[in-house]
Amino acid sequence: MKIRVVIPSITKEFESIGLEQYSPGARRDTEISVTLLDKGPASIESRYEETVAAPDIVKKIVEAEKDGMDAVIVDCMAEPGVQAAREVVSIPVIGTAETAMRVASMLGHRFSVITVLDRAIPRFERHGPRTGLSRQIASLRAVNIPVLEMHNTGRLVKALTEQSAMAVREDGAHVIVFGCTGMSGLAGKVKQGLEDEGITDVPVIDPAIVAVKVAEALVDMQLSHSRKTYPNPPEKEIVGY
Amino acid sequence: MKIRVVIPSITKEYEALGLEQYAPGARADTELSVALLDKGPASIESRYDETVAVPGVVGRVIEAEKDGVEAVIIDCMADPGLEAAREMVSIPVIGPGETAMHVASMLAYRFSVITVLDSAAPMFELQAARIGVAERLASVRAVNIPVLELGDTERVVRTLTEQSVAAVKDDGAHLIVFGCTGMIGLADVVKKGLEAQGIVDVPVIDPPMLAVKVAEAFADMGLRHSKRTYPAPPEKEIVGY
């Protein structure tokens, strides 16, 4: 099976990092490929960046379908372009936030999302009513480390563990969800950090890996999005795309 | 990977049938086993049936964990014993009802459940409310064929297709979820039936097959239910169990 990860960034280094992050989640018979954007931001941390990333994300997803991909993952918890892309392709387009939040609510009564910056928090709150899971969100917290500085893994793990422990102790979280796909690969370390603080009963969800597993499951079952929910756009003149 | 399907029924024929029906959903490296109940009903079609099945279901889930099984599926859309079993074991316990409704909401805005009997409709409405997807449930319809007569495949497929068409045309469903695990294996033929009537844009979910995929995904990721949500029961005297 072929899965394409669309990284909504023009940052060249993210290509090999993305491949490295997503591959451990994939089965042996799953081939992961990665594509960056030609036009758009270095990282997504604001609504503006989300908006200027979306057109090229959709284009990359259309290309992925033409390349014979079985499913696409958009590598950002803001899910830029996900709904638009579903209108123009037939293969499953996986949004990492919705998927992680649904899996979190299957695993525990309440979950907290630990994201990058405080300013991203309203965006996650919006995912609540959209997915119907508002009441399952215990809290939204941030490590306040910019996306482009997240390669300092030691600092990131420490901050993620601190915020996760607070989410459990103060906000009543039963499950932790990472709020940025750039945190992928750290679930084991953060879980260990929580256990070192005596919190042994809280699963930690890595949304990038969950997205791969859900993509594989949907492809296995030949399931994709309903065309009734995501019909093709009406035919009309569109300039520039 | 070892997955155990607990069939909440005392009907001996379901053992071979269950194994045969679930096998196409499993990966080559997944070993499926099936367990029936010693005590309980022949099938689950009422709250009473559900209540008298649950103690046996939980017992089978505990045994599965002792047997070294990595995930358990409870083979009934009512998810009988799901939450109690999660308190007693650490391995993932998958309910096809809960799982199918979450995945349906990922793939479409509104879905309909086509179940066995009209009397099961309130159970599905309550289940949708419990997991936060009540507004996504377009309708619950029934084929009105008792569980123990589901072996009459031709009749089941015909009425499933009829009710699915009505759900799409009259109730606004964008996706169909089978409302009984005894309908396993019929998604393709019902999808073809819909297509024959011009409905080409509606996915059909086979919940037990989906449960296998999700069980595999959770086991792959080492994800388990939060023990904060499902803590072990307090120690006390319990007679008879």
Side-chain angles (χ1 to χ4, degrees):
Chain A
M1 155 181 344
K2 290 179 180 176
I3 297 176
R4 171 81 41 91
V5 177
V6 177
I7 302 182
S9 166
I10 49 158
T11 310
K12 291 271 178 284
E13 301 88 288
F14 284 176
E15 189 161 356
S16 57
I17 293 175
L19 211 53
E20 218 171 276
Q21 283 184 330
Y22 277 87
S23 299
R27 302 196 313 232
R28 246 171 305 165
D29 59 343
T30 299
E31 194 185 307
I32 303 260
S33 58
V34 159
T35 183
L36 295 174
L37 302 188
D38 299 320
K39 292 180 189 172
S43 71
I44 295 187
E45 293 171 321
S46 67
R47 296 176 189 82
Y48 174 76
E49 289 152 0
E50 212 179 302
T51 302
V52 296
D56 216 33
I57 293 172
V58 175
K59 188 170 156 231
K60 295 295 181 189
I61 294 172
V62 172
E63 277 173 25
E65 186 175 52
K66 283 192 188 134
D67 291 348
M69 293 296 134
D70 297 302
V72 179
I73 295 167
V74 177
D75 178 50
C76 175
M77 298 287 281
E79 304 198 348
V82 167
Q83 307 253 333
R86 287 174 182 169
E87 290 184 349
V88 289
V89 299
S90 297
I91 54 174
V93 181
I94 311 293
T96 47
E98 179 177 356
T99 310
M101 288 170 67
R102 289 205 188 280
V103 169
S105 35
M106 284 184 213
L107 293 175
H109 178 55
R110 282 147 71 77
F111 60 86
S112 287
V113 179
I114 318 293
T115 187
V116 199
L117 303 177
D118 282 328
R119 63 174 300 156
I121 286 176
R123 241 188 357 232
F124 277 98
E125 278 188 37
R126 278 206 326 246
H127 286 317
R130 184 171 71 78
T131 57
L133 303 175
S134 299
R135 289 201 311 183
Q136 274 91 330
I137 302 179
S139 65
L140 303 163
R141 288 175 167 268
V143 291
N144 287 309
I145 299 173
V147 171
L148 299 176
E149 291 174 26
M150 291 205 313
H151 54 266
N152 183 343
T153 312
R155 181 175 158 217
L156 181 57
V157 168
K158 187 164 163 283
L160 271 172
T161 308
E162 275 168 19
Q163 292 299 323
S164 300
M166 282 198 276
V168 172
R169 289 195 182 123
E170 291 169 25
D171 312 333
H174 290 185
V175 178
I176 298 297
V177 177
F178 289 165
C180 174
T181 51
M183 298 163 176
S184 185
L186 304 179
K189 282 191 177 132
V190 172
K191 192 152 196 334
Q192 187 59 54
L194 287 175
E195 282 169 13
D196 292 345
E197 297 203 25
I199 299 169
T200 57
D201 47 7
V202 172
V204 178
I205 290 186
D206 180 330
I209 304 292
V210 170
V212 174
K213 302 316 310 172
V214 169
E216 288 173 341
L218 293 178
V219 173
D220 276 348
M221 301 187 67
Q222 297 175 294
L223 275 176
S224 191
H225 299 93
S226 174
R227 270 267 166 251
K228 287 229 183 272
T229 297
Y230 301 103
N232 290 126
E235 294 259 350
K236 74 187 61 162
E237 194 186 6
I238 297 182
V239 173
Y241 291 98
Chain B
M1 169 182 325
K2 289 180 181 173
I3 295 177
R4 171 84 38 95
V5 178
V6 175
I7 302 181
S9 165
I10 49 156
T11 311
K12 290 269 177 286
E13 300 88 287
Y14 284 173
E15 189 161 356
L17 192 64
L19 215 50
E20 184 190 314
Q21 288 179 326
Y22 271 87
R27 303 198 312 234
D29 60 343
T30 298
E31 192 187 308
L32 284 176
S33 56
V34 160
L36 294 174
L37 304 187
D38 294 326
K39 290 182 189 171
S43 71
I44 295 187
E45 294 172 320
S46 67
R47 295 175 191 83
Y48 178 78
D49 295 338
E50 207 182 311
T51 301
V52 296
V54 164
V57 170
V58 176
R60 290 304 189 205
V61 175
I62 295 169
E63 276 173 23
E65 185 176 52
K66 286 194 187 134
D67 291 347
V69 165
E70 288 160 81
V72 179
I73 295 165
I74 298 173
D75 180 51
C76 175
M77 290 296 279
D79 296 343
L82 182 71
E83 303 218 293
R86 285 174 179 169
E87 290 183 348
M88 298 298 290
V89 300
S90 297
I91 54 175
V93 184
I94 312 292
E98 177 186 86
T99 308
M101 283 196 180
H102 272 302
V103 171
S105 319
M106 277 187 216
L107 294 177
Y109 179 61
R110 284 151 70 77
F111 62 88
S112 287
V113 175
I114 318 293
T115 187
V116 265
L117 303 176
D118 283 324
S119 56
M123 189 280 287
F124 284 100
E125 287 181 24
L126 290 172
Q127 197 176 39
R130 181 174 71 80
I131 66 175
V133 299
E135 64 182 24
R136 303 298 194 92
L137 184 60
S139 61
V140 182
R141 289 178 164 264
V143 292
N144 287 310
I145 300 173
V147 171
L148 299 175
E149 292 174 28
L150 288 177
D152 183 354
T153 309
E154 196 181 316
R155 182 173 151 219
V156 173
V157 168
R158 192 180 69 243
T159 46
L160 262 177
T161 309
E162 278 168 14
Q163 291 301 320
S164 298
V165 169
V168 173
K169 289 193 173 149
D170 301 339
D171 311 334
H174 290 185
L175 181 148
I176 300 298
V177 175
F178 290 164
C180 175
T181 53
M183 296 164 175
I184 186 170
L186 303 179
D188 280 349
V189 47
V190 170
K191 193 154 195 332
K192 288 212 176 72
L194 288 174
E195 284 167 7
Q197 302 206 33
I199 299 170
V200 297
D201 48 6
V202 172
V204 178
I205 290 186
D206 180 330
M209 289 294 181
L210 181 66
V212 174
K213 298 282 110 191
V214 170
E216 288 172 341
F218 284 178
D220 275 349
M221 293 187 284
L223 273 179
R224 296 164 160 217
H225 295 93
S226 174
K227 277 288 165 194
R228 296 235 162 194
T229 298
Y230 303 105
E235 295 258 349
K236 73 186 61 161
E237 193 186 7
I238 295 182
V239 174
Y241 291 97

